[in-house]
Amino acid sequence: QTLSNFACWQRKHPHLFLSLNLSAQDIQEPIFLDHLESLLAYHCLNPNNIVLEITESELLFDWQQARNLLRQLKDLGVRLAIDDFGTGYSSLSYLQRIDADKLKIDRSFIHHWSQTGDARLLQTMVQLGKTMNMRVIAEGVEKTEELEFLQQLDCDQYQGFLAAKPMLAEEIERTQCI
């Protein structure tokens, strides 16, 4: 259903992209790649407009299998994002291994800056993503001051309640966001 809605929205807005979270189960599923490829073809979607988000911890169960799937996904043309970066089992070596297009900074770092004014880690993470040629996205932005500070840091994108609260597809269509 999600890809069907997205295909409809993309006809009106060709530069729109869709981010989907991958689970460890998705990565382990042998038919996942074939299923994704057939859905993209069925809905006539450009794989480059699909961003698959994955956390580093989901890759730890079987790195060899995960690495092969990530390479095949990149070959298919979808983009990859490292989600919730900075939490869990974060390892800088994953930044090189995954070859992701986007780095999503966990909202806890934005919240920490907002509460304490300490921007050291947040600033370092934005610069790290930039150095690795990734687009950097800050998660959990709720205040204008947070957005303004992230813009000063040259953060590429943001998501959070400041932009919009989560909505069902019908709500999105009703609000004419799409």
Side-chain angles (χ1 to χ4, degrees):
Q1 182 64 30
T2 301
L3 291 180
S4 176
N5 288 339
F6 180 64
C8 179
W9 297 340
Q10 197 174 42
R11 284 191 285 279
K12 297 176 190 172
H13 305 282
H15 299 293
L16 194 64
F17 68 92
L18 176 68
S19 290
L20 300 166
N21 290 318
L22 282 186
S23 69
Q25 184 178 3
D26 293 329
I27 295 169
Q28 293 172 340
E29 185 63 46
I31 62 167
F32 172 75
L33 184 66
D34 292 336
H35 186 65
L36 175 63
E37 195 170 11
S38 67
L39 284 172
L40 293 174
Y42 178 80
H43 292 291
C44 300
L45 291 170
N46 180 348
N48 194 42
N49 292 3
I50 304 294
V51 179
L52 299 177
E53 299 181 8
I54 188 162
T55 61
E56 299 142 295
S57 59
E58 290 169 341
L59 300 174
L60 292 177
F61 68 92
D62 183 351
W63 172 245
Q64 204 59 23
Q65 180 180 347
R67 184 173 63 181
N68 289 336
L69 177 64
L70 294 176
R71 183 183 38 74
Q72 291 173 317
L73 289 169
K74 291 287 282 187
D75 290 346
L76 179 61
V78 299
R79 293 183 290 158
L80 300 174
I82 299 173
D83 196 15
D84 298 331
F85 183 73
T87 61
Y89 300 100
S90 294
S91 168
L92 295 178
S93 67
Y94 280 113
L95 292 180
Q96 290 178 314
R97 292 182 192 175
I98 295 173
D99 188 28
D101 304 285
K102 297 185 177 197
L103 182 69
K104 296 184 72 180
I105 299 172
D106 186 75
R107 68 185 193 94
S108 62
F109 295 96
I110 287 80
H111 182 73
H112 175 76
W113 171 81
S114 186
Q115 297 298 310
T116 67
D118 182 357
R120 294 174 296 175
L121 275 176
L122 184 56
Q123 185 173 18
T124 300
M125 293 165 95
V126 171
Q127 289 306 313
L128 179 62
K130 295 286 191 178
T131 300
M132 299 296 296
N133 296 318
M134 294 182 208
R135 293 192 53 85
V136 180
I137 300 129
E139 298 180 302
V141 177
E142 298 179 0
K143 302 174 188 169
T144 305
E145 301 80 36
E146 293 169 341
L147 176 59
E148 290 170 353
F149 184 69
L150 289 162
Q151 289 170 331
Q152 290 174 17
L153 294 180
D154 198 27
C155 187
D156 298 302
Q157 297 174 321
Y158 76 99
Q159 70 182 60
F161 288 167
L162 184 62
K165 295 195 183 317
M167 293 183 262
L168 298 172
E170 300 78 30
E171 294 172 296
I172 293 171
E173 291 170 358
R174 268 197 315 271
T175 62
Q176 297 181 1
C177 293
I178 300 296

